[in-house]
Amino acid sequence: MPPLPLYLQIADQYQRIIHAGGLKRGDRFPSIRHIMQTQQVSMSTAVQACHVLEDWGLLRAKPRAGYFVENTDAHQPVASGLRPAANDTTAKPQQDLSQRYDGLHQFISEWMAKAEQYPVSIDFMTAVAAPRSYPTAQLNRAAASVLRQHPDILTTFARRYGHPKLRTVLARRSAERGMTLQAGDLTITHGCIEALNLALRAVCSKGDVVAVESPTFYGVLQALEAQGLQPLEIPTSAEHGLSLDALEMALDSQQPPVRAVICMPTLHNPLGCSMSDANKEALVALCRRYQVPLIEDDIYAQTSAEHVHSKPAKAWDSDGSVIYCSSLNKILAPGLRLGWMAAGRWQARVEMLKYSQSRYLDELGQLTAATFMDSQAYDRYLARFQARLQQLRQRAVQAIAQHFGNQVQMLDPTGGMMLWLRLPDHVPALQLSQLALEQGVLTSPGPMFSSKPRMAHFLRMSFGAVSEEQIEQGIAILAECMARLAAAPTSH
Amino acid sequence: MPPLPLYLQIADQYQRIIHAGGLKRGDRFPSIRHIMQTQQVSMSTAVQACHVLEDWGLLRAKPRAGYFVENTDAHQPVASGLRPAANDTTAKPQQDLSQRYDGLHQFISEWMAKAEQYPVSIDFMTAVAAPRSYPTAQLNRAAASVLRQHPDILTTFARRYGHPKLRTVLARRSAERGMTLQAGDLTITHGCIEALNLALRAVCSKGDVVAVESPTFYGVLQALEAQGLQPLEIPTSAEHGLSLDALEMALDSQQPPVRAVICMPTLHNPLGCSMSDANKEALVALCRRYQVPLIEDDIYAQTSAEHVHSKPAKAWDSDGSVIYCSSLNKILAPGLRLGWMAAGRWQARVEMLKYSQSRYLDELGQLTAATFMDSQAYDRYLARFQARLQQLRQRAVQAIAQHFGNQVQMLDPTGGMMLWLRLPDHVPALQLSQLALEQGVLTSPGPMFSSKPRMAHFLRMSFGAVSEEQIEQGIAILAECMARLAAAPTSH
Ligand SMILES: Cc1ncc(COP(=O)(O)O)c(C=O)c1O
Ligand SMILES: Cc1ncc(COP(=O)(O)O)c(C=O)c1O
């Protein structure tokens, strides 16, 4: 069936947000300008979309004040109350869920809040591996030995910028991937997410436009919104990654200009694809030519034997214009929350922002990780870890083929811990995710990763934190839900 | 001797910044508007101050472009090079120190950078106690036991908002100080500094005015600057704390309006004083009346037997309008970097900002602290800790009396780990600190805590991290330096 016209796609996307409670009766509706920018459409398309929503009775125009949300009868508010109620002395107004996630990428927030409301038995959303896939016992031994060797570590003020030993090991290990970094070039952070936030704070200020892949990791969209930055989605192929042509057009002509580019060239989240070396190099050159900092988010390479020694874009950075962000939370120890970055020419600014925002990291975790990563046991562990993920990936791919047949499309990724599924055109990911969630199966619907209407029919499925049996069961449940949706198409 | 006229005080302050390298030849000098706002002076005073600086040959006016720094011959640049030089592939331009602390409260940054250039043997700057004053062995045992009981803790994704056990213990312990909080009201953060930053992000946006005490903790000034917020210094008495009259005037008439108030009502840093209960209550009522959030920074109460059960302002908060920020870094374990906050009606927003900025904290540290704080051993430890700090405080007070006689004035604080010294009028704190630093004694000069010219003759001295002998020696060295300064007054 032919695709809907653009204005209808946009109207459809907003009606879904309204029905999901993302916009409430009386709320001011996004301005035409905002719709034009976030959806990258012309004014006439944005205006048409609003007219359709008005026709549907969902919006009302107020003279000189714009559109307001009118009728959300179909909206089923999600029950509040997972959190302990406020006690009398701090009696805050009863928080509804949208307030809980005040102002931060409404759609993502709503979905995450919803996920908290249901008992989840199969978690296809959290993008980490199961604890037993990590070197739990070895890390515990390392931690115990650090405590013995550094008896004052818990009660001594932490060192600046991160512990030298961890910085040294990370610098040395990054040489294995073609980066020439010294310990002093690195800053240890609270996960990759703090690194990304610091990078954005260092190079952007409120209102700036940041080019991102479309789709992109939802945490990037949240960080942008929380900092008052505007994402500009650049077309990204599920096979080859970011379109350099499209990026160049944006760098060349976008007004206001693009202030930074965030990219995941290796094992992209959610697509699972990687850019070729030639494209990584061209990406670095392109950003340098336009003097726009490239923020590289690179945390999955070591999940795959095929990518463990692949070069990040940073390897082609000859003048410090790439801000490299990474972490150990996916590949070594989700419980340590250790991230790191090499901010190139912005290092001074990043370090001071880090100091002013959260000071330095506690050292026990840093030394524990450093001790283990300094040994060959780390390499042996990585090989096991990669094999385990590959096993789970194959199982997931098989189960999808078996239960969905050719109804669902995907590219089989060569690493990472997620699959990006294209659903049939008549199956909206949000409804499928919702139905599955009610049965205890948690997934990530496409609209979390992009504001583009076409993402409404994609679904991200992480398979790292579950067992083979859960993969089987969970995918069977998903297929069943999809059949139900196909059988009884809903009102919209 | 009578005080200098205001415009001369301001000119004097800026010439010192210029000579210290805080502003370089060719730099744009702050605008008249900026001087008016940061110094709280009239336009004519700001203009006069610039004229004086022009007369002194330090500024040059460019038509329609404002003032620029002209002559900084007297400026002695601090040697760079403590940090490893950039290697070839990331050859960033040689960073000078001001770049290292790019854009963040120039004066504070310069002083901190300077401190890194000298070997420090006596540290009167770091405001923590020595490791052996903390319950090192007990915490290590707690950590080892947590690792045994929760073998997957390092490799499991951390829980939202903080570990329930730590939140429960903190809520229970805060009842001892008159706060009625539930575990669910608390958010665990990376130190009090992250809590303060989150509080500011939750209630302010770029350009907003925030009322702070004068003087205030320099970390607050850095956080404000890093977020693009403007401090408005409210007169604060060294004996009674924040002036409520002055705050009320500011709330009533300041344009642009005050968007938040940050206050340390108990054991103020750097003053060491505490507000009375009546004033704490009045402060909360005042902020509520003007509907301005009060951000309370409260991390020193447990350093003193006299204050350990004192009420924070939050105890009088009946509608969630106080954002309470605290941490365990001063009172239990500087190496754990654990902070926490009770953000009242902004909790939802703070939690989402926290999630988007740095996710959740690793749980090993949280459970270690919770395990120990849940026991009576914690109370016994606190009593020992308080006695130890009191010992050091008495020793410092005595040594100051002995070596400085009545040349230096101070109020003997009843807790905390710092003294706020008023130097003679002819002794600028910055020069004294500089001279002492050259001898290995690190202190915090008054201008770190305020932009007001009168702070130029104050010095903060922390005594928590040093021994009795170091207190003796360090104060003797300081006294000697002061005598040298008095004997040979310098050019300015
Ligand atoms: C692409 C990407 N970047 C960053 C992050 C955040 O990493 P961390 O957990 O180290 O903060 C994630 C986690 O899901 C991710 O998938
Ligand atoms: C008054 C005050 N607030 C906050 C902080 C920062 O606390 P933390 O180390 O817990 O981040 C300090 C530390 O010096 C302080 O003195």
Side-chain angles (χ1 to χ4, degrees):
Chain A
M1 92 189 170
L4 290 177
L6 199 49
Y7 72 94
L8 270 184
Q9 291 181 32
I10 292 173
D12 179 57
Q13 185 193 4
Y14 278 111
Q15 69 88 2
R16 237 173 298 127
I17 291 174
I18 293 171
H19 285 123
L23 284 163
K24 304 244 180 328
R25 189 196 193 95
D27 279 357
R28 179 186 297 279
F29 193 73
S31 67
I32 297 294
R33 224 178 108 81
H34 180 90
I35 297 172
M36 287 166 63
Q37 284 174 349
T38 53
Q39 309 278 349
Q40 289 183 259
V41 294
S42 69
M43 178 175 293
S44 78
T45 303
V47 169
Q48 270 186 293
C50 290
H51 285 168
V52 169
L53 289 164
E54 228 184 325
D55 288 348
W56 289 347
L58 292 171
L59 291 192
R60 190 158 54 93
K62 289 194 191 167
R64 279 194 305 282
Y67 284 104
F68 288 77
V69 176
E70 174 71 331
N71 184 339
T72 60
D73 291 347
H75 163 50
Q76 302 174 346
V78 188
S80 177
L82 246 201
R83 312 280 317 291
N87 60 43
D88 287 340
T89 55
T90 59
K92 49 199 162 200
Q94 174 74 17
Q95 287 175 0
D96 74 12
L97 286 168
S98 63
Q99 269 184 300
R100 271 193 63 182
Y101 292 96
D102 198 5
L104 281 164
H105 216 294
Q106 202 69 40
F107 181 85
I108 301 171
S109 306
E110 289 284 338
W111 181 249
M112 293 173 68
K114 227 174 217 177
E116 279 184 60
Q117 308 300 308
Y118 292 87
V120 168
S121 55
I122 301 181
D123 179 358
F124 288 146
M125 179 159 150
T126 308
V128 288
R132 86 200 84 95
S133 300
Y134 294 108
T136 301
Q138 285 161 304
L139 288 171
N140 287 358
R141 276 198 299 278
S145 124
V146 169
L147 278 169
R148 274 192 311 274
Q149 279 170 44
H150 305 267
D152 286 347
I153 199 166
L154 301 179
T155 53
T156 305
F157 212 55
R159 229 149 309 185
R160 290 168 190 253
Y161 320 126
H163 196 287
K165 184 160 173 190
L166 180 59
R167 295 164 88 199
T168 302
V169 175
L170 289 171
R172 184 166 63 69
R173 293 251 167 215
S174 46
E176 295 168 2
R177 296 188 55 212
M179 290 185 280
T180 33
L181 298 170
Q182 310 292 318
D185 298 327
L186 310 188
T187 308
I188 307 297
T189 61
H190 292 290
C192 183
I193 199 74
E194 192 184 45
L196 293 169
N197 273 277
L198 289 169
L200 288 169
R201 286 187 73 187
V203 301
C204 296
S205 52
K206 196 170 167 170
D208 282 352
V209 171
V210 177
V212 300
E213 290 147 310
S214 180
T216 189
F217 167 47
Y218 62 81
V220 166
L221 297 174
Q222 291 177 306
L224 291 177
E225 182 163 332
Q227 292 196 26
L229 303 172
Q230 297 184 49
L232 174 69
E233 296 191 31
I234 307 292
T236 302
S237 127
E239 219 166 332
H240 307 293
L242 186 70
S243 158
L244 293 179
D245 289 345
L247 177 62
E248 179 158 10
M249 271 176 55
L251 291 175
D252 207 50
S253 60
Q254 173 68 23
Q255 281 307 333
V258 171
R259 290 284 181 220
V261 177
I262 302 189
C263 184
M264 292 168 267
T266 309
L267 291 173
H268 183 276
N269 174 3
L271 296 174
C273 66
S274 298
M275 291 169 73
S276 66
D277 276 7
N279 276 356
K280 287 176 185 174
E281 184 173 7
L283 171 63
V284 173
L286 182 60
C287 290
R288 185 182 320 143
R289 181 139 48 85
Y290 284 92
Q291 301 207 356
V292 172
L294 173 61
I295 301 173
E296 180 172 26
D297 178 352
D298 180 60
I299 62 177
Y300 290 109
Q302 289 91 338
T303 58
S304 153
E306 196 164 313
H307 295 279
V308 66
H309 290 151
S310 68
K311 288 186 182 172
K314 179 77 179 170
W316 285 276
D317 177 24
S318 58
D319 66 349
S321 61
V322 177
I323 305 184
Y324 179 84
C325 301
S326 189
S327 99
L328 305 178
N329 291 316
K330 307 294 180 185
I331 56 163
L332 180 63
L336 284 178
R337 294 289 317 135
L338 284 174
W340 58 286
M341 66 197 295
R345 61 173 75 207
W346 292 276
Q347 190 186 3
R349 188 157 167 72
V350 156
E351 282 176 351
M352 196 56 190
L353 287 169
K354 168 80 176 111
Y355 178 80
S356 125
Q357 173 172 300
S358 61
R359 299 286 189 267
Y360 310 120
L361 270 82
D362 62 285
E363 297 197 339
L364 173 56
Q366 293 186 68
L367 269 183
T368 299
T371 303
F372 182 63
M373 287 182 75
D374 206 17
S375 69
Q376 289 188 357
Y378 175 65
D379 302 275
R380 289 192 297 273
Y381 147 71
L382 273 187
R384 280 197 312 277
F385 179 64
Q386 291 155 5
R388 171 70 186 146
L389 284 178
Q390 197 183 5
Q391 229 174 14
L392 291 170
R393 188 163 55 243
Q394 281 169 357
R395 188 64 169 260
V397 169
Q398 277 164 18
I400 286 169
Q402 181 192 334
H403 290 283
F404 287 103
N406 55 11
Q407 283 205 287
V408 149
Q409 294 166 30
M410 71 184 153
L411 288 171
D412 188 359
T414 53
M417 38 182 92
M418 52 189 69
L419 298 171
W420 182 241
L421 308 180
R422 188 195 172 108
L423 307 175
D425 285 345
H426 59 280
V427 178
L430 185 56
Q431 282 184 285
L432 178 58
S433 291
Q434 171 68 43
L435 218 54
L437 177 58
E438 285 161 17
Q439 322 232 357
V441 177
L442 182 58
T443 54
S444 315
M448 291 182 80
F449 304 91
S450 163
S451 302
K452 301 284 168 219
R454 71 183 198 88
M455 300 303 166
H457 298 277
F458 284 88
L459 191 76
R460 191 191 79 175
M461 220 196 89
S462 304
F463 50 77
V466 290
S467 66
E468 271 102 335
E469 297 68 47
Q470 286 177 315
I471 288 177
E472 277 297 334
Q473 269 175 37
I475 288 175
I477 292 173
L478 276 173
E480 204 182 282
C481 292
M482 203 170 92
R484 267 166 59 196
L485 276 180
T490 52
S491 51
H492 86 104
Chain B
M1 93 187 171
L4 290 176
L6 199 49
Y7 71 94
L8 270 184
Q9 292 181 33
I10 291 173
D12 180 56
Q13 185 193 3
Y14 277 111
Q15 69 88 1
R16 236 172 298 128
I17 291 175
I18 293 171
H19 284 123
L23 284 163
K24 305 243 180 327
R25 189 197 192 94
D27 279 356
R28 181 188 294 279
F29 193 73
S31 66
I32 298 293
R33 224 179 108 81
H34 180 90
I35 298 173
M36 288 167 63
Q37 284 175 349
T38 53
Q39 308 280 348
Q40 291 184 259
V41 295
S42 69
M43 178 177 291
S44 80
T45 302
V47 169
Q48 269 185 293
C50 290
H51 286 168
V52 169
L53 288 164
E54 228 183 326
D55 288 347
W56 290 347
L58 292 171
L59 290 192
R60 189 158 55 94
K62 289 195 192 167
R64 280 194 305 280
Y67 284 103
F68 289 77
V69 176
E70 173 70 335
N71 183 341
T72 60
D73 290 348
H75 163 48
Q76 302 172 345
V78 188
S80 177
L82 244 199
R83 309 282 316 292
N87 61 44
D88 287 339
T89 53
T90 59
K92 49 199 161 197
Q94 175 74 15
Q95 288 175 3
D96 76 8
L97 287 167
S98 63
Q99 268 184 301
R100 272 194 59 186
Y101 292 97
D102 197 7
L104 281 165
H105 216 295
Q106 202 66 42
F107 181 85
I108 300 171
S109 304
E110 288 284 338
W111 180 248
M112 293 174 69
K114 225 174 219 179
E116 278 185 62
Q117 307 300 310
Y118 292 87
V120 168
S121 55
I122 302 181
D123 179 359
F124 288 146
M125 181 158 148
T126 307
V128 287
R132 85 201 84 97
S133 300
Y134 295 108
T136 301
Q138 285 161 304
L139 288 171
N140 288 358
R141 275 198 300 278
S145 123
V146 169
L147 278 170
R148 273 193 310 273
Q149 280 170 43
H150 305 267
D152 286 349
I153 199 164
L154 301 179
T155 52
T156 305
F157 211 56
R159 228 147 311 183
R160 291 170 188 252
Y161 320 126
H163 196 285
K165 185 161 171 190
L166 180 59
R167 297 164 88 200
T168 304
V169 175
L170 289 171
R172 184 166 62 69
R173 292 254 168 210
S174 47
E176 294 167 2
R177 296 188 56 210
M179 290 185 280
T180 34
L181 297 170
Q182 310 292 317
D185 298 327
L186 310 188
T187 307
I188 307 297
T189 61
H190 293 289
C192 184
I193 200 73
E194 191 183 46
L196 293 169
N197 273 277
L198 289 169
L200 289 170
R201 287 187 74 185
V203 301
C204 297
S205 51
K206 196 170 168 169
D208 282 353
V209 171
V210 176
V212 300
E213 290 148 308
S214 179
T216 189
F217 166 47
Y218 62 82
V220 166
L221 297 175
Q222 291 177 305
L224 291 177
E225 183 163 332
Q227 292 195 26
L229 304 172
Q230 298 184 47
L232 174 70
E233 295 191 31
I234 306 293
T236 302
S237 129
E239 218 165 334
H240 307 295
L242 185 71
S243 159
L244 294 179
D245 289 345
L247 177 62
E248 180 157 9
M249 270 176 55
L251 292 175
D252 208 49
S253 59
Q254 173 68 24
Q255 280 309 330
V258 171
R259 289 286 179 219
V261 176
I262 303 189
C263 184
M264 291 169 265
T266 310
L267 291 173
H268 184 275
N269 173 2
L271 295 173
C273 67
S274 298
M275 292 169 73
S276 66
D277 275 7
N279 276 357
K280 288 177 184 174
E281 183 172 6
L283 170 64
V284 174
L286 182 60
C287 290
R288 184 181 322 143
R289 182 140 47 85
Y290 285 92
Q291 302 206 355
V292 172
L294 173 61
I295 301 172
E296 180 172 27
D297 179 352
D298 180 59
I299 63 176
Y300 291 109
Q302 290 91 340
T303 58
S304 153
E306 198 165 309
H307 295 279
V308 65
H309 289 149
S310 69
K311 287 185 183 173
K314 180 75 179 172
W316 284 277
D317 177 24
S318 58
D319 65 350
S321 61
V322 177
I323 304 184
Y324 179 83
C325 301
S326 188
S327 99
L328 305 178
N329 291 317
K330 307 295 179 183
I331 56 163
L332 179 64
L336 284 178
R337 295 288 319 135
L338 284 174
W340 58 286
M341 66 197 295
R345 61 173 75 207
W346 293 276
Q347 189 184 3
R349 187 156 168 73
V350 156
E351 281 175 351
M352 196 56 190
L353 286 169
K354 169 81 177 109
Y355 177 80
S356 125
Q357 171 172 302
S358 60
R359 300 285 188 269
Y360 310 119
L361 270 83
D362 62 284
E363 297 198 340
L364 172 57
Q366 294 185 68
L367 268 183
T368 299
T371 303
F372 182 64
M373 288 182 75
D374 205 18
S375 69
Q376 288 187 359
Y378 175 65
D379 302 276
R380 289 192 297 272
Y381 146 71
L382 273 186
R384 281 197 313 276
F385 178 63
Q386 291 155 6
R388 172 69 185 148
L389 284 178
Q390 198 182 6
Q391 231 172 12
L392 291 169
R393 187 163 57 241
Q394 281 169 358
R395 188 65 168 259
V397 168
Q398 276 164 18
I400 285 168
Q402 182 192 331
H403 290 283
F404 286 102
N406 55 12
Q407 283 204 287
V408 148
Q409 293 166 32
M410 70 184 156
L411 289 171
D412 189 359
T414 53
M417 38 183 93
M418 52 190 69
L419 299 171
W420 183 241
L421 308 180
R422 188 197 171 108
L423 307 175
D425 286 345
H426 59 280
V427 178
L430 184 56
Q431 281 184 283
L432 178 58
S433 291
Q434 171 67 44
L435 217 55
L437 177 58
E438 286 161 16
Q439 322 235 359
V441 178
L442 181 58
T443 53
S444 315
M448 291 181 80
F449 304 91
S450 162
S451 304
K452 301 284 167 215
R454 71 183 199 87
M455 300 305 168
H457 298 276
F458 283 87
L459 192 76
R460 191 191 80 174
M461 220 196 88
S462 303
F463 51 77
V466 289
S467 66
E468 269 103 338
E469 297 68 47
Q470 287 177 314
I471 287 177
E472 276 298 334
Q473 270 176 37
I475 288 175
I477 291 174
L478 276 173
E480 207 182 280
C481 293
M482 202 168 91
R484 268 167 57 197
L485 275 181
T490 53
S491 52
H492 79 103

